[in-house]
Amino acid sequence: MLRWLPSPLKGILSLLLYILNTLFWFMPLMLLAVLKLLPISRWQAWMSYLVDAIAVAWISVNNLTTRIFTSIKWRISGLETLSRKDWYLIVANHQSWADILILQNIFNRKIPFIKFFLKKELLYVPFMGLCWWALDFPFMKRYSKQLLKKRPELKGKDIATTRKACEKFRYKPVSIMNFVEGTRFTQTKHDKQLSPFQHLLKPKAGGTAFVLGTMGEQLHKLLDVTIHYPQGIPSFWDYISGKVHAITVNIKVLPISKELIGDYNDQAYRERFQQWINQLWIEKDQQLALLEKNAAQ
């Protein structure tokens, strides 16, 4: 392959191929998205499968680019029992923009195409908003606590609206991704938060609870993903230019019990859910500490 090239050149060529690959699939994606507007349920379902097939092909070419320009020793556990016919909620720690490429890489063709809950305002982002809409990314509308105090009749309407938008996933498997920390880990953010964890920021339970409140009965399993970089946290540029030589990804498949589904505005449920996700984060922090110790030996 071309792993012998200088890192800056590998980065430039990788980025160029990512862009060309995206542009190549953009027009077929938009064409299928327009055809999907025809109000016939079976037709729309079929078009949705074709749209996702384009996304899978797009990721596959990106993965090929990674293999051409990088030499990464992957240590991955937990992929054995996954299926493209199941419904998943994925939660993961977040350290780098490369995390998204890594998750797409390891899960491609193993589970349904990964989608994110997005704020409704992002629908109007040039170019990408159209792609997210075409790929059926669920857009959510959240109401602030201040607005709910002024207009209590809106309570629960955000979940009801988003749940209606997700009805298409009832009959078609899907994977929903959520970075629980809400932002990438940096030592500065960690110190500012006074995070009780060594390798993680504080988890934001509200986002995950919102997903479960919206789609809990449709989602079958939770994938608890821990990403570790033995050489230290890389940038996106480090990843595409071949400077990352080892990545560890551990995946735990957990059940989604009825106790995890509820209304986050309910205090009892909120406290119970926060305790659950904090325990999940304690175990993840311990896992990252062990991985770091092993990498140092």
Side-chain angles (χ1 to χ4, degrees):
M1 297 296 182
L2 301 177
R3 299 164 184 168
W4 51 270
L5 292 172
S7 292
L9 183 56
K10 286 192 289 186
I12 293 170
L13 292 175
S14 294
L15 185 60
L16 180 61
L17 286 178
Y18 285 139
I19 294 171
L20 291 175
N21 183 37
T22 302
L23 293 175
F24 175 82
W25 293 110
F26 179 73
M27 290 309 298
L29 181 66
M30 290 299 105
L31 176 61
L32 290 176
V34 171
L35 292 174
K36 193 173 62 174
L37 295 176
L38 191 65
I40 301 174
S41 297
R42 290 187 178 181
W43 171 264
Q44 289 179 336
W46 188 48
M47 287 294 106
S48 293
Y49 275 100
L50 291 178
V51 164
D52 277 3
I54 284 180
V56 170
W58 171 69
I59 292 173
S60 297
V61 177
N62 284 343
N63 291 349
L64 177 60
T65 298
T66 300
R67 289 196 296 272
I68 290 173
F69 293 106
T70 67
S71 178
I72 299 173
K73 184 176 182 180
W74 296 90
R75 298 182 181 90
I76 305 172
S77 64
L79 287 175
E80 301 79 16
T81 62
L82 304 184
S83 169
R84 295 178 69 179
K85 297 180 180 180
D86 221 331
W87 284 253
Y88 296 103
L89 170 62
I90 306 169
V91 297
N93 58 314
H94 193 16
Q95 303 165 88
S96 165
W97 287 116
D99 295 344
I100 297 174
L101 291 178
I102 289 165
L103 291 170
Q104 289 178 336
N105 190 316
I106 66 172
F107 285 127
N108 194 42
R109 302 183 187 275
K110 301 288 192 309
I111 63 176
F113 175 67
I114 298 174
K115 303 183 182 185
F116 296 80
F117 268 74
L118 300 172
K119 294 180 180 180
K120 194 173 182 180
E121 292 76 13
L122 293 178
L123 180 61
Y124 306 104
V125 173
F127 185 76
M128 290 307 301
L130 283 174
C131 291
W132 292 325
W133 165 77
L135 289 166
D136 286 329
F137 276 52
F139 290 91
M140 61 183 182
K141 186 174 183 178
R142 300 293 301 272
Y143 298 109
S144 65
K145 292 182 180 180
Q146 293 78 8
L147 181 60
L148 289 175
K149 286 181 180 180
K150 295 179 180 178
R151 300 184 59 187
E153 73 276 7
L154 294 177
K155 184 178 180 180
K157 191 174 181 180
D158 51 355
I159 290 181
T161 301
T162 309
R163 184 180 290 121
K164 185 176 181 180
C166 294
E167 285 181 357
K168 62 176 72 71
F169 302 135
R170 186 176 299 277
Y171 308 105
K172 181 180 180 298
V174 68
S175 301
I176 299 295
M177 178 69 219
N178 185 30
F179 287 118
V180 179
E181 294 156 297
T183 184
R184 288 168 293 146
F185 177 94
T186 66
Q187 193 60 48
T188 301
K189 294 174 185 176
H190 177 274
D191 296 343
K192 187 175 182 179
Q193 278 190 354
L194 298 177
S195 173
F197 307 102
Q198 183 180 357
H199 303 282
L200 300 165
L201 301 178
K202 293 178 181 179
K204 295 184 177 181
T208 305
F210 182 85
V211 175
L212 288 171
T214 303
M215 295 185 63
E217 295 180 358
Q218 296 171 241
L219 298 168
H220 297 164
K221 298 174 184 176
L222 184 142
L223 301 184
D224 176 22
V225 180
T226 302
I227 304 171
H228 178 252
Y229 300 100
Q231 300 169 278
I233 300 173
S235 65
F236 173 80
W237 180 256
D238 290 336
Y239 178 77
I240 67 172
S241 60
K243 294 182 179 180
V244 179
H245 301 295
I247 298 174
T248 300
V249 183
N250 293 338
I251 304 157
K252 292 182 181 178
V253 183
L254 305 175
I256 297 178
S257 63
K258 292 183 178 179
E259 289 73 22
L260 294 179
I261 303 171
D263 181 0
Y264 200 66
N265 292 312
D266 177 73
Q267 184 175 350
Y269 168 76
R270 182 167 63 251
E271 291 177 355
R272 185 171 69 249
F273 191 84
Q274 288 173 347
Q275 289 176 357
W276 171 81
I277 207 161
N278 278 327
Q279 182 59 38
L280 195 71
W281 239 234
I282 288 171
E283 295 173 5
K284 188 180 294 294
D285 198 44
Q286 293 171 346
Q287 186 179 168
L288 285 167
L290 180 60
L291 288 169
E292 186 174 273
K293 180 180 178 181
N294 292 338
Q297 292 177 348

